[in-house]
Amino acid sequence: RIAAIHEDSLCTAPLLFILGRGCDPTPDIEHFARERNTQDLSGNGNGSNAHGNGSNGNGSKGQEDLLTVVQASQTSIETIDSMVAAASEEGCWVLIRNIHVSEEWQEKVS
């Protein structure tokens, strides 16, 4: 399902998943990013840049990582903004989890 969502998306618009209790697409998104990253590194992808921050959310750089996963409640809005800006420049992705619990983000998107 993530592949179909990605195919229908635009690189200029963020994807927003509104989920019910107990639903977490993070493992599927991480798996999809690993698959895309492997394709990009082997030259079989669609040109996405495969450089970015570590997918473990600890802020470490990793040459082979396409996805960074961060918790909105544990990461400042300034840090997340910087990560999103860098990912936008590098062709990478940032998955911001639990954005609804961050008052800063609620104010930013309203």
XYZ file of all heavy atoms in Angstrom:
824
model
N 0.812 -1.201 0.000
C 0.000 0.000 0.000
C 0.852 1.260 0.000
O 0.477 2.241 -0.604
C -0.932 -0.004 1.200
C -2.021 -1.062 1.091
C -2.987 -0.987 2.221
N -2.404 -1.682 3.364
C -2.835 -1.579 4.580
N -3.845 -0.793 4.855
N -2.277 -2.240 5.563
N 1.969 1.235 0.695
C 2.839 2.415 0.741
C 3.347 2.737 -0.666
O 3.427 3.904 -1.052
C 4.009 2.202 1.726
C 3.486 1.951 3.147
C 4.973 3.378 1.703
C 2.682 3.089 3.746
N 3.683 1.722 -1.442
C 4.164 1.946 -2.811
C 3.101 2.662 -3.647
O 3.425 3.578 -4.413
C 4.564 0.623 -3.453
N 1.847 2.266 -3.504
C 0.772 2.909 -4.258
C 0.584 4.362 -3.821
O 0.376 5.249 -4.656
C -0.530 2.129 -4.081
N 0.664 4.604 -2.521
C 0.558 5.971 -2.009
C 1.702 6.813 -2.548
O 1.510 7.944 -2.998
C 0.543 5.974 -0.462
C -0.734 5.309 0.046
C 0.691 7.389 0.089
C -0.721 4.995 1.530
N 2.908 6.265 -2.530
C 4.078 6.981 -3.043
C 3.916 7.294 -4.521
O 4.216 8.393 -4.980
C 5.342 6.147 -2.800
C 6.575 6.789 -3.332
N 7.100 6.458 -4.560
C 7.381 7.747 -2.818
C 8.174 7.171 -4.778
N 8.362 7.971 -3.731
N 3.422 6.331 -5.272
C 3.249 6.515 -6.710
C 2.269 7.645 -7.023
O 2.449 8.379 -7.986
C 2.750 5.204 -7.341
C 2.775 5.186 -8.833
C 4.167 5.269 -9.428
O 5.115 4.739 -8.820
O 4.318 5.869 -10.518
N 1.245 7.803 -6.192
C 0.232 8.839 -6.403
C 0.618 10.188 -5.807
O -0.117 11.155 -5.960
C -1.110 8.406 -5.800
C -1.764 7.281 -6.585
O -1.417 7.095 -7.765
O -2.622 6.583 -6.009
N 1.750 10.258 -5.116
C 2.128 11.488 -4.424
C 2.983 12.392 -5.304
O 3.457 11.986 -6.364
C 2.894 11.147 -3.141
O 4.155 10.599 -3.456
N 3.162 13.613 -4.828
C 4.051 14.580 -5.477
C 5.200 14.881 -4.534
O 5.006 14.979 -3.323
C 3.300 15.884 -5.773
C 2.095 15.780 -6.700
C 1.352 17.108 -6.739
C 2.542 15.382 -8.096
N 6.385 15.070 -5.071
C 7.540 15.354 -4.223
C 7.458 16.730 -3.579
O 8.192 17.034 -2.651
C 8.837 15.195 -5.005
S 9.027 16.405 -6.329
N 6.545 17.567 -4.037
C 6.413 18.917 -3.494
C 5.357 19.022 -2.399
O 5.145 20.105 -1.855
C 6.053 19.902 -4.620
O 4.839 19.450 -5.246
C 7.176 19.996 -5.632
N 4.697 17.907 -2.089
C 3.644 17.926 -1.068
C 3.887 16.817 -0.054
O 4.132 15.672 -0.434
C 2.277 17.743 -1.722
N 3.818 17.149 1.232
C 4.022 16.106 2.251
C 2.848 15.132 2.272
O 1.728 15.471 1.901
C 4.093 16.890 3.561
C 3.377 18.170 3.280
C 3.559 18.454 1.814
N 3.131 13.909 2.674
C 2.073 12.923 2.891
C 1.681 12.975 4.353
O 2.543 13.017 5.230
C 2.568 11.519 2.552
C 2.888 11.248 1.090
C 3.458 9.840 0.932
C 1.656 11.417 0.230
N 0.410 12.947 4.623
C -0.096 12.973 5.989
C -0.958 11.740 6.188
O -1.926 11.529 5.453
C -0.918 14.243 6.226
C -1.561 14.413 7.587
C -0.490 14.520 8.675
C -2.450 15.641 7.596
N -0.587 10.914 7.153
C -1.355 9.721 7.483
C -2.137 10.016 8.757
O -1.547 10.291 9.799
C -0.431 8.518 7.732
C 0.306 8.056 6.512
C 1.524 8.608 6.172
C -0.217 7.055 5.712
C 2.214 8.179 5.050
C 0.454 6.617 4.591
C 1.686 7.175 4.256
N -3.453 9.971 8.680
C -4.296 10.130 9.853
C -4.755 8.729 10.225
O -5.447 8.066 9.451
C -5.477 11.067 9.567
C -4.933 12.436 9.153
C -6.385 11.166 10.788
C -5.979 13.416 8.706
N -4.349 8.288 11.403
C -4.488 6.885 11.771
C -5.419 6.689 12.954
O -5.524 7.550 13.821
C -3.114 6.318 12.132
C -2.023 6.573 11.097
C -0.677 6.203 11.660
C -2.314 5.818 9.829
N -6.018 5.537 12.981
C -6.816 5.141 14.125
C -5.933 4.519 15.187
O -4.762 4.181 14.940
N -6.485 4.374 16.360
C -5.765 3.775 17.489
C -5.252 2.389 17.096
O -5.975 1.591 16.512
C -6.681 3.678 18.691
C -6.008 3.019 19.884
C -6.791 3.217 21.104
N -6.492 4.609 21.488
C -7.093 5.249 22.451
N -8.034 4.686 23.129
N -6.747 6.480 22.753
N -4.000 2.126 17.396
C -3.400 0.820 17.146
C -2.855 0.624 15.743
O -2.286 -0.411 15.433
N -3.008 1.601 14.894
C -2.505 1.502 13.519
C -1.176 2.252 13.424
O -1.096 3.420 13.787
C -3.523 2.107 12.563
S -3.030 2.030 10.847
N -0.148 1.589 12.957
C 1.170 2.216 12.832
C 1.828 1.773 11.536
O 2.299 0.647 11.420
C 2.054 1.844 14.022
C 3.413 2.535 13.981
O 3.630 3.405 13.107
O 4.253 2.199 14.829
N 1.883 2.655 10.537
C 2.498 2.293 9.265
C 4.021 2.410 9.248
O 4.643 2.163 8.223
C 1.880 3.300 8.286
C 1.729 4.528 9.125
C 1.325 4.003 10.501
N 4.623 2.769 10.390
C 6.069 2.991 10.420
C 6.869 1.817 9.869
O 7.739 2.020 9.019
C 6.548 3.360 11.837
O 5.849 4.524 12.267
C 8.047 3.630 11.868
N 6.609 0.575 10.302
C 7.396 -0.540 9.747
C 7.255 -0.668 8.228
O 8.237 -0.947 7.529
C 6.837 -1.776 10.454
C 6.241 -1.255 11.721
C 5.718 0.109 11.376
N 6.043 -0.440 7.708
C 5.837 -0.515 6.264
C 6.583 0.602 5.539
O 7.166 0.387 4.473
C 4.343 -0.434 5.929
C 3.557 -1.618 6.446
O 4.130 -2.728 6.539
O 2.374 -1.430 6.772
N 6.566 1.800 6.114
C 7.270 2.930 5.501
C 8.777 2.687 5.536
O 9.481 2.928 4.548
C 6.895 4.248 6.198
C 5.411 4.562 5.947
C 7.786 5.394 5.735
C 4.854 5.690 6.789
N 9.288 2.196 6.672
C 10.719 1.889 6.777
C 11.118 0.818 5.761
O 12.158 0.935 5.104
C 11.069 1.441 8.187
C 11.012 2.569 9.197
C 11.209 2.091 10.631
O 10.787 0.970 10.974
O 11.785 2.871 11.406
N 10.301 -0.212 5.623
C 10.586 -1.277 4.656
C 10.596 -0.718 3.233
O 11.507 -1.005 2.446
C 9.548 -2.393 4.793
C 9.713 -3.495 3.804
N 10.710 -4.441 3.910
C 9.022 -3.794 2.667
C 10.626 -5.271 2.888
N 9.615 -4.894 2.123
N 9.604 0.098 2.907
C 9.537 0.701 1.578
C 10.759 1.585 1.318
O 11.346 1.548 0.232
C 8.248 1.507 1.424
C 8.102 2.156 0.081
C 7.836 1.395 -1.049
C 8.250 3.518 -0.064
C 7.710 1.987 -2.300
C 8.130 4.125 -1.299
C 7.860 3.357 -2.424
N 11.151 2.381 2.317
C 12.327 3.249 2.160
C 13.592 2.427 1.938
O 14.430 2.777 1.114
C 12.484 4.150 3.384
N 13.735 1.311 2.683
C 14.904 0.441 2.472
C 14.908 -0.128 1.062
O 15.954 -0.166 0.412
C 14.920 -0.688 3.502
C 15.490 -0.308 4.838
C 15.748 -1.528 5.725
N 14.556 -2.316 5.952
C 13.662 -2.078 6.925
N 13.845 -1.060 7.758
N 12.609 -2.833 7.072
N 13.761 -0.548 0.579
C 13.678 -1.074 -0.789
C 14.034 -0.008 -1.804
O 14.787 -0.258 -2.736
C 12.269 -1.595 -1.073
C 11.957 -2.913 -0.446
C 10.553 -3.392 -0.790
O 9.730 -2.591 -1.294
O 10.287 -4.574 -0.566
N 13.488 1.189 -1.660
C 13.777 2.301 -2.580
C 15.252 2.674 -2.513
O 15.867 2.954 -3.529
C 12.936 3.525 -2.215
C 11.476 3.338 -2.325
C 10.948 3.705 -3.637
N 11.506 4.995 -4.000
C 11.448 5.487 -5.213
N 10.858 4.823 -6.149
N 11.969 6.659 -5.500
N 15.791 2.692 -1.305
C 17.186 3.040 -1.118
C 18.091 2.031 -1.819
O 19.055 2.403 -2.483
C 17.511 3.111 0.370
C 18.860 3.720 0.622
O 19.161 4.775 0.088
N 19.658 3.056 1.411
N 17.786 0.757 -1.701
C 18.569 -0.281 -2.358
C 18.503 -0.105 -3.861
O 19.510 -0.206 -4.559
C 18.053 -1.679 -1.961
O 18.148 -1.804 -0.548
C 18.859 -2.773 -2.617
N 17.317 0.209 -4.391
C 17.177 0.434 -5.827
C 17.987 1.644 -6.260
O 18.676 1.615 -7.272
C 15.708 0.660 -6.190
C 14.847 -0.563 -6.052
C 13.379 -0.253 -6.275
O 12.984 0.904 -6.392
N 12.571 -1.300 -6.319
N 17.909 2.727 -5.480
C 18.627 3.945 -5.843
C 20.137 3.736 -5.828
O 20.842 4.225 -6.699
C 18.261 5.088 -4.891
C 16.824 5.546 -5.091
O 16.267 5.282 -6.165
O 16.279 6.146 -4.157
N 20.633 3.006 -4.842
C 22.072 2.777 -4.749
C 22.574 1.881 -5.875
O 23.706 2.005 -6.314
C 22.430 2.154 -3.392
C 22.285 3.095 -2.198
C 22.529 2.332 -0.904
C 23.238 4.266 -2.303
N 21.707 0.994 -6.382
C 22.126 0.107 -7.462
C 21.845 0.709 -8.829
O 22.130 0.097 -9.847
C 21.417 -1.248 -7.339
O 20.028 -1.086 -7.528
N 21.246 1.908 -8.834
C 20.974 2.569 -10.102
C 19.652 2.147 -10.727
O 19.373 2.486 -11.866
N 18.805 1.425 -9.987
C 17.544 0.967 -10.544
C 16.352 1.785 -10.079
O 15.226 1.479 -10.418
C 17.296 -0.500 -10.155
C 18.354 -1.405 -10.729
O 18.829 -1.168 -11.820
N 18.721 -2.431 -9.987
N 16.585 2.826 -9.314
C 15.488 3.634 -8.791
C 15.106 4.722 -9.759
O 15.520 4.746 -10.916
N 14.309 5.663 -9.268
C 13.837 6.731 -10.151
C 14.589 8.033 -9.919
O 14.089 9.086 -10.221
C 12.335 6.935 -9.967
C 11.990 7.514 -8.622
O 12.859 7.716 -7.778
N 10.722 7.795 -8.410
N 15.773 7.961 -9.356
C 16.590 9.148 -9.218
C 16.564 9.800 -7.860
O 17.165 10.843 -7.679
N 15.844 9.248 -6.900
C 15.851 9.834 -5.560
C 17.251 9.752 -4.979
O 17.943 8.761 -5.140
C 14.893 9.068 -4.638
O 13.579 9.222 -5.085
N 17.662 10.796 -4.313
C 18.956 10.804 -3.655
C 18.900 9.890 -2.445
O 17.972 9.947 -1.669
C 19.279 12.237 -3.218
C 20.645 12.383 -2.640
O 21.263 11.418 -2.239
N 21.116 13.605 -2.593
N 19.877 9.042 -2.260
C 19.853 8.060 -1.176
C 20.682 8.483 0.024
O 21.097 7.655 0.803
C 20.348 6.713 -1.692
N 20.925 9.765 0.179
C 21.709 10.222 1.318
C 20.813 10.935 2.301
O 19.922 11.659 1.921
C 22.820 11.169 0.861
C 23.745 10.517 -0.104
N 24.685 9.608 0.271
C 23.830 10.606 -1.444
C 25.333 9.183 -0.793
N 24.824 9.773 -1.851
N 21.086 10.750 3.591
C 20.266 11.417 4.594
C 20.644 11.031 5.992
O 21.713 10.492 6.232
N 19.759 11.297 6.916
C 19.992 10.991 8.316
C 19.626 9.558 8.619
O 18.856 8.944 7.908
C 19.158 11.924 9.196
C 19.631 13.341 9.119
O 20.818 13.590 8.988
N 18.725 14.282 9.179
N 20.174 9.043 9.710
C 19.917 7.666 10.108
C 18.453 7.416 10.400
O 17.781 8.247 10.979
N 17.948 6.257 10.014
C 16.532 5.963 10.178
C 16.185 5.611 11.618
O 15.034 5.424 11.938
C 16.134 4.806 9.258
O 16.854 3.644 9.583
N 17.165 5.533 12.493
C 16.869 5.196 13.879
C 16.477 6.411 14.701
O 16.186 6.294 15.877
C 18.062 4.475 14.522
C 19.314 5.324 14.513
O 19.272 6.503 14.180
N 20.425 4.725 14.873
N 16.450 7.578 14.089
C 15.966 8.762 14.772
C 16.951 9.377 15.749
O 16.607 10.285 16.475
N 18.192 8.907 15.765
C 19.144 9.456 16.729
C 19.955 10.608 16.160
O 20.846 11.113 16.804
C 20.073 8.349 17.265
C 21.010 7.803 16.213
O 21.068 8.320 15.093
N 21.727 6.751 16.551
N 19.638 11.017 14.931
C 20.298 12.167 14.354
C 21.620 11.861 13.694
O 22.248 12.745 13.152
N 22.072 10.624 13.707
C 23.349 10.309 13.084
C 23.201 10.228 11.571
O 22.170 9.822 11.057
C 23.883 8.967 13.613
O 22.996 7.926 13.294
N 24.225 10.662 10.876
C 24.221 10.613 9.422
C 24.554 9.210 8.957
O 25.384 8.536 9.527
C 25.265 11.576 8.849
C 24.840 13.007 8.866
C 23.903 13.265 7.733
C 23.792 14.757 7.472
N 22.854 15.029 6.430
N 23.912 8.791 7.878
C 24.209 7.505 7.280
C 24.150 7.641 5.780
O 23.165 8.113 5.246
N 25.199 7.238 5.098
C 25.276 7.403 3.654
C 24.176 6.647 2.918
O 23.756 7.059 1.865
C 26.647 6.934 3.152
C 27.781 7.835 3.551
C 27.853 9.064 2.674
O 27.201 9.176 1.649
N 28.649 10.021 3.089
N 23.709 5.521 3.449
C 22.754 4.704 2.725
C 21.318 4.908 3.168
O 20.442 4.166 2.761
C 23.109 3.212 2.870
C 24.403 2.824 2.198
C 25.610 3.034 3.097
O 25.454 3.003 4.323
O 26.701 3.250 2.567
N 21.031 5.891 3.995
C 19.693 6.032 4.537
C 18.883 7.071 3.782
O 19.338 8.164 3.513
C 19.752 6.407 6.016
C 20.343 5.298 6.856
O 20.066 4.126 6.556
O 21.086 5.598 7.788
N 17.660 6.697 3.443
C 16.728 7.561 2.748
C 15.718 8.179 3.710
O 15.150 9.206 3.427
C 15.994 6.725 1.683
C 14.943 7.376 0.812
C 15.570 8.485 -0.027
C 14.306 6.340 -0.092
N 15.518 7.553 4.866
C 14.455 7.918 5.789
C 15.003 8.234 7.176
O 15.840 7.511 7.696
C 13.461 6.745 5.897
C 12.345 6.858 6.917
C 11.350 7.943 6.505
C 11.634 5.522 7.062
N 14.482 9.308 7.762
C 14.733 9.640 9.163
C 13.400 9.577 9.886
O 12.416 10.150 9.421
C 15.319 11.058 9.297
O 16.536 11.122 8.598
C 15.564 11.411 10.756
N 13.346 8.864 10.994
C 12.136 8.773 11.805
C 12.380 9.532 13.097
O 13.365 9.280 13.784
C 11.773 7.297 12.113
C 10.519 7.230 12.969
C 11.591 6.507 10.820
N 11.495 10.494 13.401
C 11.614 11.272 14.636
C 10.269 11.294 15.353
O 9.217 11.196 14.728
C 12.096 12.720 14.384
C 13.481 12.746 13.812
C 11.136 13.484 13.502
N 10.329 11.442 16.667
C 9.141 11.593 17.498
C 8.926 13.088 17.733
O 9.805 13.754 18.277
C 9.337 10.888 18.846
C 9.466 9.399 18.756
C 8.133 8.729 18.453
O 7.069 9.306 18.609
N 8.206 7.490 18.013
N 7.775 13.595 17.343
C 7.488 15.020 17.520
C 7.550 15.431 18.980
O 7.984 16.537 19.302
C 6.127 15.368 16.933
N 7.163 14.527 19.865
C 7.138 14.873 21.284
C 8.523 14.899 21.911
O 8.697 15.438 22.998
C 6.261 13.881 22.044
O 6.787 12.570 21.927
N 9.523 14.347 21.234
C 10.871 14.262 21.790
C 11.891 15.093 21.017
O 13.073 15.064 21.331
C 11.328 12.807 21.820
C 10.456 11.924 22.667
C 10.818 10.456 22.534
O 11.701 10.086 21.780
N 10.117 9.619 23.268
N 11.432 15.812 20.007
C 12.337 16.558 19.138
C 11.794 17.971 18.974
O 10.602 18.151 18.732
C 12.443 15.875 17.755
O 12.721 14.493 17.937
C 13.539 16.496 16.921
N 12.663 18.963 19.089
C 12.199 20.345 18.985
C 11.712 20.634 17.564
O 12.166 20.034 16.592
C 13.314 21.322 19.355
O 14.281 21.394 18.326
N 10.800 21.587 17.477
C 10.262 21.966 16.176
C 11.357 22.525 15.273
O 11.359 22.307 14.068
C 9.082 22.952 16.337
C 8.303 23.061 15.031
C 9.542 24.289 16.834
C 6.966 23.757 15.177
N 12.331 23.210 15.870
C 13.436 23.759 15.090
C 14.279 22.632 14.481
O 14.701 22.709 13.319
C 14.326 24.674 15.942
C 13.650 25.951 16.410
C 12.776 25.757 17.655
O 12.852 24.693 18.315
O 12.004 26.674 17.959
N 14.530 21.594 15.268
C 15.310 20.455 14.781
C 14.565 19.749 13.657
O 15.153 19.409 12.622
C 15.612 19.470 15.924
O 16.366 20.156 16.920
C 16.392 18.268 15.433
N 13.270 19.539 13.848
C 12.484 18.878 12.812
C 12.435 19.726 11.550
O 12.583 19.213 10.438
C 11.067 18.545 13.329
C 11.158 17.486 14.434
C 10.187 18.061 12.192
C 9.852 17.194 15.131
N 12.258 21.039 11.697
C 12.271 21.926 10.533
C 13.587 21.807 9.768
O 13.600 21.758 8.537
C 12.052 23.379 10.951
C 10.599 23.717 11.234
O 9.711 22.926 10.846
O 10.359 24.779 11.844
N 14.694 21.753 10.498
C 16.006 21.607 9.863
C 16.128 20.273 9.142
O 16.677 20.202 8.039
C 17.128 21.730 10.894
O 17.153 23.014 11.444
N 15.622 19.216 9.779
C 15.674 17.891 9.160
C 14.846 17.854 7.879
O 15.277 17.295 6.865
C 15.168 16.829 10.134
C 16.048 16.657 11.354
S 15.235 15.633 12.582
C 16.180 14.149 12.398
N 13.660 18.463 7.917
C 12.795 18.492 6.741
C 13.449 19.315 5.630
O 13.433 18.913 4.457
C 11.392 19.029 7.103
C 10.567 19.301 5.856
C 10.674 18.047 8.019
N 14.043 20.443 5.975
C 14.705 21.274 4.974
C 15.870 20.522 4.329
O 16.033 20.536 3.102
C 15.199 22.580 5.604
N 16.678 19.853 5.148
C 17.811 19.086 4.617
C 17.321 17.929 3.748
O 17.868 17.680 2.665
C 18.678 18.565 5.764
N 16.289 17.240 4.203
C 15.749 16.118 3.430
C 15.202 16.602 2.096
O 15.371 15.942 1.064
C 14.663 15.402 4.232
N 14.581 17.766 2.104
C 14.052 18.340 0.870
C 15.172 18.622 -0.126
O 15.038 18.355 -1.318
C 13.296 19.624 1.200
O 12.854 20.260 0.038
N 16.273 19.149 0.360
C 17.427 19.441 -0.497
C 18.097 18.164 -1.013
O 18.574 18.122 -2.140
C 18.461 20.275 0.267
C 18.009 21.676 0.576
C 17.946 22.532 -0.671
O 18.829 22.407 -1.538
O 16.989 23.323 -0.770
N 18.136 17.127 -0.169
C 18.874 15.905 -0.482
C 18.008 14.825 -1.126
O 18.511 13.782 -1.520
C 19.505 15.348 0.795
C 20.521 16.291 1.407
C 21.011 15.828 2.769
O 20.633 14.727 3.216
O 21.776 16.579 3.389
N 16.706 15.051 -1.211
C 15.818 14.048 -1.780
C 15.519 12.911 -0.835
O 15.253 11.788 -1.264
N 15.552 13.179 0.459
C 15.303 12.162 1.476
C 13.940 12.388 2.110
O 13.241 13.325 1.788
C 16.391 12.221 2.544
S 18.029 11.929 1.901
N 13.591 11.525 3.050
C 12.293 11.578 3.705
C 12.466 11.728 5.209
O 13.403 11.199 5.797
C 11.508 10.308 3.450
C 11.322 9.972 2.005
C 11.368 10.820 0.938
C 11.066 8.679 1.463
N 11.145 10.136 -0.222
C 10.961 8.816 0.065
C 10.909 7.415 2.017
C 10.697 7.746 -0.777
C 10.644 6.355 1.174
C 10.544 6.526 -0.203
N 11.503 12.407 5.828
C 11.427 12.500 7.285
C 10.031 12.040 7.688
O 9.034 12.572 7.196
C 11.669 13.939 7.799
C 11.520 13.999 9.310
C 13.031 14.442 7.372
N 9.980 11.048 8.548
C 8.716 10.569 9.105
C 8.606 11.143 10.509
O 9.410 10.819 11.383
C 8.687 9.041 9.146
C 7.501 8.393 9.851
C 6.184 8.789 9.198
C 7.662 6.888 9.871
N 7.641 12.024 10.712
C 7.437 12.668 12.009
C 6.283 11.939 12.695
O 5.137 12.050 12.279
C 7.116 14.162 11.854
C 8.159 14.850 10.975
C 7.028 14.832 13.223
C 7.755 16.242 10.515
N 6.618 11.195 13.728
C 5.615 10.394 14.431
C 4.973 11.194 15.558
O 5.616 12.015 16.194
C 6.263 9.143 15.011
C 6.827 8.248 13.904
C 7.239 6.920 14.401
N 6.038 6.271 14.925
C 6.067 5.344 15.870
N 7.196 4.957 16.381
N 4.957 4.806 16.308
N 3.708 10.913 15.798
C 2.944 11.492 16.900
C 2.951 13.015 16.900
O 3.062 13.657 17.945
C 3.437 10.942 18.242
C 3.257 9.443 18.316
O 2.213 8.929 17.936
N 4.280 8.738 18.767
N 2.783 13.569 15.736
C 2.802 15.021 15.595
C 1.652 15.671 16.371
O 1.744 16.811 16.796
C 2.789 15.405 14.107
C 3.322 16.802 13.903
C 1.428 15.197 13.488
C 3.630 17.132 12.472
N 0.594 14.920 16.584
C -0.583 15.455 17.271
C -0.339 15.758 18.750
O -1.082 16.534 19.344
C -1.752 14.474 17.145
C -1.509 13.174 17.845
N -0.656 12.218 17.338
C -1.975 12.698 19.016
C -0.624 11.190 18.171
N -1.418 11.452 19.196
N 0.701 15.203 19.348
C 0.956 15.453 20.769
C 1.856 16.666 21.003
O 2.063 17.066 22.134
C 1.562 14.214 21.481
C 0.607 13.041 21.400
C 2.913 13.847 20.899
N 2.354 17.256 19.951
C 3.230 18.413 20.071
C 2.420 19.697 19.909
O 1.880 19.975 18.837
C 4.329 18.360 18.999
O 5.027 19.582 18.946
N 2.339 20.479 20.983
C 1.614 21.746 20.911
C 2.236 22.686 19.893
O 1.529 23.424 19.209
C 1.557 22.400 22.289
C 0.632 21.684 23.246
C 0.525 22.394 24.581
O 0.747 23.623 24.636
O 0.204 21.711 25.567
N 3.568 22.670 19.799
C 4.245 23.522 18.816
C 3.776 23.201 17.401
O 3.531 24.096 16.599
C 5.760 23.341 18.894
C 6.410 23.965 20.098
C 7.907 23.743 20.080
O 8.326 22.566 20.161
O 8.644 24.730 19.965
N 3.677 21.915 17.081
C 3.242 21.516 15.745
C 1.776 21.836 15.525
O 1.384 22.224 14.425
C 3.523 20.034 15.503
C 4.914 19.829 15.015
C 5.996 19.453 15.747
C 5.397 20.046 13.693
N 7.109 19.409 14.953
C 6.768 19.769 13.685
C 4.800 20.447 12.503
C 7.552 19.872 12.545
C 5.578 20.551 11.365
C 6.945 20.267 11.393
N 0.954 21.676 16.536
C -0.457 22.015 16.400
C -0.612 23.478 16.038
O -1.426 23.843 15.180
C -1.214 21.701 17.693
C -1.363 20.217 17.953
C -2.024 19.944 19.288
O -2.697 20.801 19.864
N -1.833 18.740 19.791
N 0.170 24.336 16.685
C 0.128 25.771 16.373
C 0.662 26.035 14.972
O 0.129 26.881 14.263
C 0.947 26.551 17.408
C 0.347 26.545 18.784
C 1.251 27.178 19.830
O 2.218 27.867 19.455
O 0.988 26.988 21.028
N 1.689 25.314 14.571
C 2.312 25.563 13.268
C 1.385 25.197 12.111
O 1.347 25.896 11.105
C 3.616 24.775 13.164
C 4.365 25.047 11.887
C 5.729 24.406 11.905
C 6.430 24.720 10.611
N 7.735 25.251 10.790
N 0.661 24.110 12.245
C -0.173 23.666 11.128
C -1.584 24.235 11.167
O -2.342 24.065 10.220
C -0.243 22.114 11.057
C 1.114 21.540 10.777
C -0.849 21.525 12.299
N -1.939 24.931 12.212
C -3.303 25.499 12.258
C -3.374 26.898 11.692
O -2.463 27.515 11.322
C -3.840 25.494 13.678
O -2.998 26.230 14.539
